[in-house]
Amino acid sequence: QVQLVESGGGLVQAGGSLRLSCAASGRTFSRYAMGWFRQAPGKEREFVAAISGIGSRTDYADSVKGRFTISRDNGKNTLYMKMKSLKPEDTAVYYCAAPRRSYYYTSEKVDFDSWGQGTQVTVSS
């Protein structure tokens, strides 16, 4: 199993920006796709963004496309997500995640089996 630790969440007003980070250990990081998911109170955890092992492919949920950017630094074993033009509906706990299979690109929640503890993002009006 890989260990994942998110950071960078906080309270921001609508229209503001944040950058989330996820530090990974326990695996050969570059062999695995990575994803960001979020969960608001009373709602299911939902897909936000995914990136392939070397960053050549990315995918985004329609709700964040054009506002969020996922990236990774394999030399630092770290996943990032820059968020701009934040909206109140972006308020959620954000989780980074890794799939169970190496050399396998996916954006499906069911394929991910390693999760961080989450970091809270709150966007005020």
Side-chain angles (χ1 to χ4, degrees):
Q1 287 276 5
V2 63
Q3 291 77 52
L4 303 171
V5 180
E6 302 96 333
S7 61
L11 175 64
V12 64
Q13 61 185 6
S17 300
L18 286 171
R19 188 179 77 161
L20 305 183
S21 298
C22 173
S25 62
R27 288 185 180 178
T28 302
F29 185 61
S30 64
R31 296 179 181 176
Y32 291 84
M34 294 290 293
W36 286 100
F37 296 78
R38 67 187 182 186
Q39 187 167 22
K43 301 181 68 175
E44 293 186 48
R45 192 170 300 184
E46 65 179 3
F47 168 76
V48 177
I51 187 168
S52 60
I54 62 171
S56 58
R57 180 178 177 179
T58 59
D59 287 290
Y60 299 90
D62 288 343
S63 59
V64 307
K65 196 170 298 181
R67 299 188 298 118
F68 291 11
T69 303
I70 189 170
S71 63
R72 64 194 297 160
D73 186 335
N74 288 341
K76 297 181 178 179
N77 289 341
T78 302
L79 175 73
Y80 302 99
M81 187 163 67
K82 294 181 178 179
M83 305 183 294
K84 66 178 182 180
S85 301
L86 283 161
K87 305 174 180 179
E89 52 262 45
D90 295 319
T91 295
V93 177
Y94 284 72
Y95 299 88
C96 66
R100 72 190 97 246
R101 296 174 60 184
S102 63
Y103 299 108
Y104 180 74
Y105 179 81
T106 182
S107 59
E108 297 293 329
K109 183 170 62 177
V110 69
D111 291 328
F112 291 81
D113 73 341
S114 296
W115 300 83
Q117 84 290 342
T119 186
Q120 176 72 48
V121 172
T122 302
V123 184
S124 65
S125 301

